[in-house]
Amino acid sequence: MLRISVVAALVAPLLFGAHIEQIAGGGAQSPGAAPRQLRLIEPFGVDFDASGNWYIIEFAGNRLLRVTPKGATSLLASSELKEPHGIAITRSGEMFIADTHHNRIAKLDLKSNALSSFAGTGEAEFSGDGGPASSATFNGVFAIALDPAQRNLYAADLTNRRIRRIELATRSVTSIAGNGKSGVPPDGARADGSPLVDPRAVAADAQGNVYILERNGNALRRVDASGRIKTLIAPGQIAPDLKGPKHLCTDAKGRVIIADAENHLVRLYDPATGQTRTIAGTGTPGDTIVPDDPLRTQLRRPHGVSIAPDGALIITDSYNHRILRLSGY
């Protein structure tokens, strides 16, 4: 009880001035309608390009949608994808797509709208480290993320229990964490020789750290710039424990944001203090939005978090089929 009360005491002042709003989904119309009139089908990921357009990827809908700065919506891809989970966009206009059950990373050229395979042959296997990503094999790419310098693309190769890095300049692929075995990695061990439970998502910060989120392991782990792994959050360390978390991102302050899906919460881990706090959600599934109180706003299995160009947090509230924007968190 003491642990819960301390967390509650920390949350209220830190969320003073926060605001949450729905920016897409919740409607019944097809692409071409205004964002808040769209019918979304289990959206899982959002990202932005250099021109201010933003993009929504759907898991169940198998669709990629674009929203312009003026609010015009359109459909970019659908039947070419198979239960995709995430997207990552470079400043030069290339979009990478975690095309999960095609066992590949697809690439969309945002200038020509041409879709191609970037990494993975489509076979559900593990191979190819040290060679070109195009001939490597993956088994369930559930999340991808660019590092802030956009030199590397990271992939959560979940069924292979590995985090893999693709150098964009050479397109060479390397496993940086996970040895294919299931287990809890010992703190301080080499990440590439250690087991992982089930790496569901990955994110990188400007200091060279790579963060790994485990779905059934209910854990947050970090691989530092020297390649050593450490568990930051594990069962029994916070209240409530992580429960089936699905995605994460890092913000400009180096903090880690977690979509804690089965708790119906969004959590923030601050590496500077080691503290974790809730920044959105009540813990009870629902669809109520309280604009000036994210902690009284209900979520239903959020599966994606990303940072907008203005620093706001975008929450993919998947089972409410909507996109939310949280500022002042």
Side-chain angles (χ1 to χ4, degrees):
M1 294 300 293
L2 177 60
R3 178 172 54 177
I4 296 173
S5 64
V6 168
V7 170
L10 288 170
V11 164
L14 289 170
L15 282 184
F16 179 78
H19 181 82
I20 193 166
E21 61 181 322
Q22 182 170 327
I23 59 172
Q29 297 190 33
S30 300
R36 291 203 295 180
Q37 296 174 352
L38 286 173
R39 175 178 178 260
L40 297 179
I41 310 168
E42 289 186 33
F44 265 46
V46 169
D47 204 1
F48 295 76
D49 69 18
S51 299
N53 301 297
W54 49 287
Y55 301 80
I56 304 167
I57 196 81
E58 297 175 326
F59 166 71
N62 290 306
R63 298 187 304 177
L64 173 66
L65 298 92
R66 176 168 54 203
V67 183
T68 71
K70 294 184 178 181
T73 66
S74 58
L75 177 66
L76 297 186
S78 57
S79 59
E80 306 94 330
L81 305 172
K82 189 175 182 180
E83 297 179 330
H85 277 70
I87 53 178
I89 302 174
T90 67
R91 287 182 286 271
S92 61
E94 291 181 318
M95 174 190 288
F96 298 102
I97 304 171
D99 195 1
T100 306
H101 292 122
H102 276 146
N103 302 300
R104 67 170 185 168
I105 299 171
K107 185 177 78 169
L108 181 71
D109 186 321
L110 295 177
K111 297 173 183 175
S112 67
N113 286 342
L115 185 71
S116 60
S117 287
F118 175 77
T121 66
E123 298 172 90
E125 297 178 1
F126 170 75
S127 68
D129 273 5
S134 58
S135 59
T137 55
F138 296 76
N139 195 348
V141 181
F142 277 79
I144 53 175
L146 291 159
D147 63 18
Q150 299 194 346
R151 295 190 182 97
N152 301 295
L153 180 70
Y154 294 91
D157 193 1
L158 190 149
T159 308
N160 283 326
R161 296 191 177 92
R162 288 176 168 92
I163 299 297
R164 304 177 79 179
R165 180 185 65 211
I166 301 170
E167 296 180 9
L168 296 185
T170 64
R171 298 194 175 186
S172 177
V173 63
T174 306
S175 293
I176 66 157
N179 59 12
K181 299 178 181 179
S182 178
V184 176
D187 282 354
R190 289 287 310 177
D192 56 4
S194 298
L196 295 172
V197 177
D198 59 343
R200 177 58 169 74
V202 61
D205 69 14
Q207 284 70 49
N209 298 301
V210 176
Y211 293 92
I212 303 169
L213 189 65
E214 294 193 336
R215 177 182 60 187
N216 293 323
N218 294 306
L220 175 67
R221 312 191 199 280
R222 180 182 62 208
V223 179
D224 65 21
S226 70
R228 302 288 173 176
I229 195 165
K230 181 179 181 180
T231 297
L232 304 175
I233 301 175
Q237 293 183 349
I238 62 172
D241 285 332
L242 296 176
K243 187 178 180 182
K246 298 300 191 297
H247 195 244
L248 80 169
C249 67
T250 58
D251 68 10
K253 296 179 180 179
R255 301 176 300 182
V256 182
I257 317 295
I258 299 170
D260 192 3
E262 308 307 321
N263 276 326
H264 314 286
L265 299 172
V266 175
R267 321 283 288 274
L268 183 151
Y269 171 81
D270 189 344
T273 63
Q275 293 178 343
T276 303
R277 57 186 174 91
T278 296
I279 58 173
T282 66
T284 300
D287 60 6
T288 299
I289 295 177
V290 181
D292 293 325
D293 195 344
L295 298 179
R296 289 198 294 139
T297 292
Q298 295 178 310
L299 308 173
R300 184 175 278 115
R301 298 189 74 196
H303 277 74
V305 284
S306 57
I307 304 298
D310 65 359
L313 178 68
I314 306 301
I315 301 169
T316 308
D317 192 10
S318 299
Y319 278 58
N320 279 324
H321 311 288
R322 67 189 183 186
I323 311 296
L324 305 179
R325 181 183 185 275
L326 172 62
S327 59
Y329 64 90

